[in-house]
Amino acid sequence: MTKQYIQNHKQYFLEKGLTVINSVFSDDEIEKITKCIRNADTSRENFRKSDDLFAVRQFLKEIPEAKDLIFNDTIKTIVKQLFGEKYFAIKSIYFDKPETSNWYVAYHQDLTISVDKKLEIEGFGSWTTKKNQFAVQPPLPILENICTIRIHLDDTDEYNGALKVIPGSHTKGIRRPETIDLKTETEKFCDVQKGGVMIMKPLTLHGSNRTTDGRRRRVIHIEFSDMELPEQLQWSERIN
């Protein structure tokens, strides 16, 4: 993966708020990652299970043996060259959209961050708490600084729930989904091959359609930042 190749992706990413890079993980690496997930103790509270959903919050903390497999040389290079030298992981989720599941996700932006405690700080609002995990909407500059990598463990296209996005929408601040005008804004499906990654800004408007062909879609979602939070507030999942 040449420096010029990464620079081309960086330019597109900054302009459009997303990019897709395939062949980041080999089939063997993906098999090792999925084996870690299969072997995990799913009885803990950060594991959510139902007939149509399997998700793991704080994924890198809950399944630490996956960390070295995920942060291979290619991912480290992508983080440093696309985002910046000092970026670190701040949030991680694994989710499986199984073949039995058929939910639809409307267009939205990712507007909250995970932190270690609740504090009254100017500019931080809409607090939520789930099982001692605190989420808050921070000031816009913090959201604009975050970059997300979505690692795909399966081939994903518009027929099994690939993300659809509005390219360039990350440059317009916080937007309500009803302001989207598909007559003037372009909608794009982000096909990603097994072992590939989709990289996006959380403010890029995104959603996904129902699965129509019965294939599963497993994704590891990791957010990165290089900003420190104000006062005594800390990122709850910080991993350098």
Side-chain angles (χ1 to χ4, degrees), residues 101-125:
S101 165
N102 223 2
W103 79 84
Y104 164 85
V105 180
Y107 270 114
H108 65 285
Q109 297 169 303
D110 294 337
L111 297 177
T112 62
I113 59 172
S114 296
V115 294
D116 65 333
K117 64 179 85 68
K118 184 175 180 179
L119 286 177
E120 293 305 320
I121 301 177
E122 189 178 347
F124 287 73

Side-chain angles (χ1 to χ4, degrees), residues 91 108-113 143 146 148 150 200-204 206 221 223:
K91 186 176 185 177
H108 65 285
Q109 297 169 303
D110 294 337
L111 297 177
T112 62
I113 59 172
L143 291 173
I146 294 170
T148 301
R150 293 167 57 92
M200 63 181 284
K201 300 294 283 184
L203 293 176
T204 303
H206 59 285
H221 170 116
E223 296 175 15

Side-chain angles (χ1 to χ4, degrees), residues 79-161:
V79 169
K80 283 183 178 174
Q81 294 189 12
L82 247 73
F83 308 162
E85 286 284 340
K86 296 180 178 174
Y87 269 71
F88 46 85
I90 57 167
K91 186 176 185 177
S92 59
I93 309 165
Y94 165 80
F95 50 89
D96 180 356
K97 200 171 190 176
E99 58 271 25
T100 53
S101 165
N102 223 2
W103 79 84
Y104 164 85
V105 180
Y107 270 114
H108 65 285
Q109 297 169 303
D110 294 337
L111 297 177
T112 62
I113 59 172
S114 296
V115 294
D116 65 333
K117 64 179 85 68
K118 184 175 180 179
L119 286 177
E120 293 305 320
I121 301 177
E122 189 178 347
F124 287 73
S126 303
W127 286 89
T128 59
T129 309
K130 284 183 194 166
K131 296 178 180 171
N132 283 330
Q133 296 185 26
F134 303 94
V136 64
Q137 184 170 323
L140 187 60
I142 292 175
L143 291 173
E144 289 175 333
N145 173 262
I146 294 170
C147 302
T148 301
I149 293 180
R150 293 167 57 92
I151 300 162
H152 284 249
L153 307 182
D154 303 288
D155 288 328
T156 310
D157 55 35
E158 64 181 287
Y159 304 108
N160 70 327

